[in-house]
Amino acid sequence: MSKVAVVTGSNKGLGLGIVKGLCKRFGGVVYLTSRDEKRGRDAVAELNKQGLQPKYHQLDVSDKNSVLRFKNYIEANYGGIDILVNNAAVSNSDPTGFSSYEENEKLIHINFGGILTMREIIYPLVRRNGRILNISSNCGHLSNLRNQQWREKLSKEDLKLEEVQEFIEWYLESLRNGSFNTEDFVDNGTVSAYKVSKIALNAVTRIHQKEFEAKDISINSVHPGYIRTGMTAGYGFFNIDEAAETPLYIVLDAPQSLKGEYIWYDRRVLDWTNYEEDYYFTIRSLLEQQVP
């Protein structure tokens, strides 16, 4: 059976950069996937013009039926997956993140709920010694959170999935009932839904690592840096190929013993639970990184 690498949400942005890098370096089949089939196939056609030959399959991580179809296809044709990069995500339409409840709920459903669906359906296909990488953000470092109760709970070594889900519900309920407190987050609560989704993502990265330890699968998350993409409105200091370098290092070159970690764009392994550090995100820090 061929080795298989899969990148979710990879018809553009960082995901596309990772697919390009895998096509050049990975000794197996590379799958570019996307929610929108036309955009995905168009992206493959553009890579073909560059001499790269990824394969394509539709995959919407927020749609369980779509994930099941992809699972059945991979299982029937390859038997398993060797590298999985969970890149699919959305951001707030309002740069400050003070969006409608419905938008924030949908964002969390895609960014965090999609990971839970992938864990349920796709992770069992990952072969022994495989690698899973969750594309996170500095928005996901625990220092973004100022609520002491949740900082202490989420940083526990024996954290459970149910507690992460309670954190999500605590946040959504505060939006529903009007009790949201901007002081619970840095930067006066800007992009709070995105921060919550990425904090939760990093928390379950550690939980999932323990669950799949018996198969010697390495599961990590990475902050790839400020990337000039549509999601950042063109702000940032990396293009997609530059930003893909650290994710590619993690899934191709890093020691298999690198497990359950939160990795910075410069390959430093950070203590995600150290909420007293200043690795958090602010709107101003993004604007300051604009490249003319």
Side-chain angles (χ1 to χ4, degrees):
M1 284 285 187
S2 299
K3 287 189 174 183
V4 178
V6 175
V7 185
T8 70
S10 51
N11 61 288
K12 62 181 180 179
L14 176 62
L16 183 62
I18 294 172
V19 166
K20 289 170 64 177
L22 287 170
C23 285
K24 294 173 181 178
R25 296 192 53 210
F26 178 64
V29 179
V30 179
Y31 269 89
L32 183 155
T33 71
S34 65
R35 179 177 56 185
D36 184 286
E37 183 166 350
K38 182 181 185 304
R39 291 177 181 175
R41 293 194 181 279
D42 286 349
V44 168
E46 287 300 314
L47 292 182
N48 289 163
K49 293 177 183 178
Q50 301 174 36
L52 305 176
Q53 302 296 323
K55 292 185 178 293
Y56 177 77
H57 199 286
Q58 192 275 340
L59 177 60
D60 181 350
V61 300
S62 67
D63 180 348
K64 195 167 187 176
N65 288 329
S66 172
V67 180
L68 281 168
R69 286 193 295 271
F70 182 67
K71 176 254 186 187
N72 292 336
Y73 172 84
I74 291 293
E75 195 168 36
N77 287 275
Y78 303 100
I81 294 171
D82 299 276
I83 292 174
L84 172 63
V85 180
N86 288 311
N87 172 73
V90 296
S91 60
N92 291 101
S93 58
D94 181 345
T96 66
F98 296 117
S99 308
S100 68
Y101 170 80
E102 290 74 19
E103 180 178 312
N104 287 331
E105 182 184 42
K106 182 178 181 181
L107 182 153
I108 290 173
H109 172 65
I110 294 172
N111 293 4
F112 178 66
I115 291 294
L116 299 187
T117 300
M118 293 292 286
R119 181 262 172 265
E120 175 189 353
I121 298 171
I122 302 298
Y123 284 22
L125 290 182
V126 178
R127 297 183 175 112
R128 178 172 292 279
N129 301 318
R131 301 191 177 195
I132 299 172
L133 180 61
N134 296 324
I135 303 299
S136 185
S137 163
N138 60 343
C139 284
H141 192 271
L142 201 53
S143 59
N144 285 275
L145 192 58
R146 286 291 185 255
N147 182 285
Q148 189 62 25
Q149 176 187 352
W150 281 112
R151 293 200 299 188
E152 291 176 0
K153 182 172 286 190
L154 293 172
S155 61
K156 294 190 309 180
E157 183 62 31
D158 60 349
L159 180 68
K160 301 293 190 296
L161 173 60
E162 293 76 14
E163 293 172 303
V164 182
Q165 292 171 316
E166 288 171 7
F167 168 64
I168 293 284
E169 183 54 32
W170 163 78
Y171 170 72
L172 291 176
E173 178 59 24
S174 76
L175 298 181
R176 283 194 295 264
N177 65 27
S179 66
F180 175 71
N181 184 356
T182 59
E183 294 183 2
D184 282 329
F185 298 88
V186 300
D187 203 29
N188 297 313
T190 56
V191 293
S192 59
Y194 189 75
K195 286 175 179 175
V196 166
S197 73
K198 292 301 185 179
I199 289 170
L201 169 66
N202 288 325
V204 297
T205 296
R206 302 169 73 223
I207 293 170
H208 291 164
Q209 178 62 70
K210 294 176 182 177
E211 293 178 2
F212 287 86
E213 184 62 41
K215 289 178 69 176
D216 197 25
I217 294 171
S218 67
I219 306 178
N220 296 289
S221 62
V222 63
H223 163 48
Y226 292 128
I227 313 167
R228 298 192 294 275
T229 67
M231 186 176 286
T232 62
Y235 292 90
F237 55 80
F238 291 134
N239 63 37
I240 63 171
D241 295 324
E242 292 166 338
E245 290 179 5
T246 292
L248 289 167
Y249 161 78
I250 296 168
V251 297
L252 294 175
D253 304 316
Q256 189 69 20
S257 57
L258 184 66
K259 295 179 177 179
E261 300 290 0
Y262 175 69
I263 302 155
W264 210 239
Y265 64 86
D266 58 7
R267 303 185 184 179
R268 283 182 294 155
V269 176
L270 301 186
D271 181 358
W272 179 79
T273 66
N274 188 354
Y275 49 75
E276 299 294 350
E277 290 287 354
D278 61 351
Y279 292 109
Y280 51 79
F281 168 85
T282 65
I283 292 293
R284 181 177 180 178
S285 66
L286 178 59
L287 298 178
E288 289 174 346
Q289 298 300 332
Q290 184 177 16
V291 175

